[in-house]
Amino acid sequence: MSDIEKTLKSLLTEEKWTRVAISNYTISNFDSLDSIIEEGKKEGVTDELYAVCAEHLTHAKMSIIALYILSIISLSKKMLDDSCQITLINIFIDNHKWQLVEHLCMKMLEYGDANAKFALKTLSSYYRETSDERMYDIWERILKVDYEEAELAKLLAEKYEEEGDEEKAIIYYKKAIHRYVTLKQFSGIKEVWTHLITLIPQDVSFFYSLEGKISSSIDPTKSIPLMQDLYSYYKDAKNWEVCIEILKTILKCDAKDGWARDELVFCLKERYKNHSQLEHYITISALNQSYRPVFDALADFEKNISFEVGNFVFHRTWGVGRISAIENDEITIDFAKKRAHKMSLKMGISALKTLSKEHIWVLKATYKNKEDL
C-alpha cells in the first residue's frame, strides 16, 4: 500500500471518529484533499484511492472526504455516475454553506460542463436568488449541455431583447421554442411563437419548419391556432401568396376547417381580382362549396386560373400560342400556324401547358430579332 493510500485511510478514520462539523469545513480542507488526489495521480494509484473511498462510503454514506475524492476522480475519468457530486453539494446546501457550495461547483466544472450539469444548475439557482450577474454566463453554459432546457433559453432571449440585442434575442427565442416542442409544452410554444411573429414575420420558412415538427411530434391540430396567428399578420400586410400557402397548411391539418376554406376563397379572390374568369372558375371548381373536398376543388381552380386572355400556352403539335378569348367553357387560342383555334376549357387543361411571358419558348416565338434574343 502506498503512503498516499495510508494517508487517505488515516483521514477517513479520523473523520469517522471525530465527526467534524459541517460548519467547520473551509476551502482549505478541500485544497488538502486536492493535494492527495494530485499525489495519487503522480504515483498512479487513483484507482486504489477510488476503491478506498468507495468501500468507506458503504458504511459512512455522508463522508465528506470520500464523497469529494470519488466526485473528482469520477470527473477526471469522465464517469457517468454523478451521484457523489449531487450528494456532496446537497450536504452543504442543506447547511447553508453557500461559499463552499460555490467552490465545489466551480471545482467540478473545471472538468467540463457536460459532466457536471448538477453543479451548473446549482450555481444557476444560487446566482439567481442572489441576483448575481454571473447567472447569465451559467445559463448559456447550461444550454450548451442540456438540450431540453427551454425556460432559461427564453429568459436569456428576454434579457438580450431588453438590452437591444435583437439578433441574440432571436437566437435564444428559437432555441427556446424548439425545446418546448421537444418537451411538448404547448403553452411555451404558443407564447414564444406569438412573440417571434413580431420579431421575424418574414422568416416564413422557419415557421413552416416548426409547424411540421409540432404536427408530427405533438398533434396536427395544435399547429392550427399558431398558423392562424401567422396568417393574421400576412393578411394585414395583404401578402396573398403567403396567406394562401398558410391556409393550405391549415387545411392539411384539418381539411374540414370551414373558416380556413372561407379565408382561402377570400384570398384567392384578392390574389386574382383582375382575372376576367375568376368568379366562373371558383364556381365550376366548387371551391366555395363544402360538399367537395377542398384540395380537389383547389387543384381544379389552380389549373383553370392559369388560363386567361393574353397568357401563353404550349401545344405539342402546334407549338406556342396565346389565348385571345375565353367565353364560358370555351377558349380561343392563336397559334402561329393555326389562328383562332377553339377548344373546351376541359380539353385545354389536359392538352396545353401554360407558359410565363419570360419562358424561353415564348421569347423564341415572339422575338423578331433572334440575335438580340
Side-chain angles (χ1 to χ4, degrees), residues 116-159:
K117 292 179 183 177
F118 183 76
L120 276 172
K121 294 193 174 183
T122 299
L123 283 178
S124 171
S125 298
Y126 175 51
Y127 288 157
R128 194 170 179 179
E129 287 179 11
T130 56
S131 300
D132 191 318
E133 289 287 315
R134 286 178 292 175
M135 68 181 173
Y136 299 119
D137 174 62
I138 295 297
W139 289 356
E140 292 190 351
R141 291 169 67 176
I142 288 173
L143 293 176
K144 290 176 181 177
V145 297
D146 187 346
Y147 301 110
E148 292 188 349
E149 175 56 63
E151 192 62 26
L152 293 184
K154 184 167 80 72
L155 289 172
L156 275 172
E158 291 169 351
K159 169 192 178 288

Side-chain angles (χ1 to χ4, degrees), residues 134-345:
R134 286 178 292 175
M135 68 181 173
Y136 299 119
D137 174 62
I138 295 297
W139 289 356
E140 292 190 351
R141 291 169 67 176
I142 288 173
L143 293 176
K144 290 176 181 177
V145 297
D146 187 346
Y147 301 110
E148 292 188 349
E149 175 56 63
E151 192 62 26
L152 293 184
K154 184 167 80 72
L155 289 172
L156 275 172
E158 291 169 351
K159 169 192 178 288
Y160 285 121
E161 185 177 13
E162 187 177 331
E163 292 176 351
D165 192 339
E166 190 172 291
E167 184 177 351
K168 265 195 172 181
I170 291 167
I171 289 171
Y172 281 103
Y173 277 126
K174 286 184 175 182
K175 284 182 186 289
I177 197 167
H178 278 296
R179 292 167 189 223
Y180 281 131
V181 171
T182 300
L183 297 169
K184 299 183 179 181
Q185 293 183 2
F186 189 72
S187 59
I189 295 170
K190 172 71 172 173
E191 181 183 355
V192 178
W193 175 287
T194 302
H195 193 60
L196 280 173
I197 289 175
T198 67
L199 294 175
I200 51 167
Q202 72 285 355
D203 194 353
V204 184
S205 59
F206 168 76
F207 292 105
Y208 281 145
S209 173
L210 202 58
E211 184 279 330
K213 291 179 181 178
I214 294 166
S215 293
S216 60
S217 65
I218 303 177
D219 180 350
T221 60
K222 286 288 187 182
S223 66
I224 291 176
L226 303 178
M227 296 304 284
Q228 287 175 340
D229 289 344
L230 187 62
Y231 169 75
S232 294
Y233 171 85
Y234 280 96
K235 185 178 181 181
D236 290 343
K238 301 185 186 304
N239 189 328
W240 308 120
E241 293 283 358
V242 175
C243 282
I244 290 165
E245 292 306 311
I246 292 172
L247 291 166
K248 286 180 183 179
T249 302
I250 293 173
L251 287 163
K252 285 177 184 176
C253 296
D254 181 5
K256 295 183 179 180
D257 189 319
W259 171 86
R261 186 164 185 159
D262 290 343
E263 289 296 307
L264 180 62
V265 173
F266 169 80
C267 291
L268 289 169
K269 286 183 175 180
E270 290 296 316
R271 165 68 178 82
Y272 297 105
K273 61 185 178 182
N274 295 323
H275 197 293
S276 64
Q277 302 298 309
L278 173 63
E279 292 298 335
H280 178 58
Y281 289 159
I282 287 176
T283 300
I284 64 174
S285 66
L287 189 59
N288 54 358
Q289 301 298 321
S290 60
Y291 69 83
R292 190 173 188 207
V294 64
F295 285 105
D296 290 348
L298 184 60
D300 281 355
F301 175 82
E302 288 178 337
K303 289 176 183 176
N304 294 340
I305 204 69
S306 63
F307 290 92
E308 169 66 316
V309 174
N311 284 3
F312 289 92
V313 295
F314 176 81
H315 188 279
R316 60 185 178 182
T317 301
W318 303 314
V320 174
R322 190 171 192 176
I323 299 172
S324 59
I326 300 176
E327 188 172 350
N328 296 322
D329 289 335
E330 185 178 75
I331 57 177
T332 303
I333 308 160
D334 289 329
F335 293 103
K337 296 181 180 180
K338 196 174 181 68
R339 311 293 290 181
H341 179 72
K342 298 182 184 296
M343 66 172 65
S344 68
L345 180 61

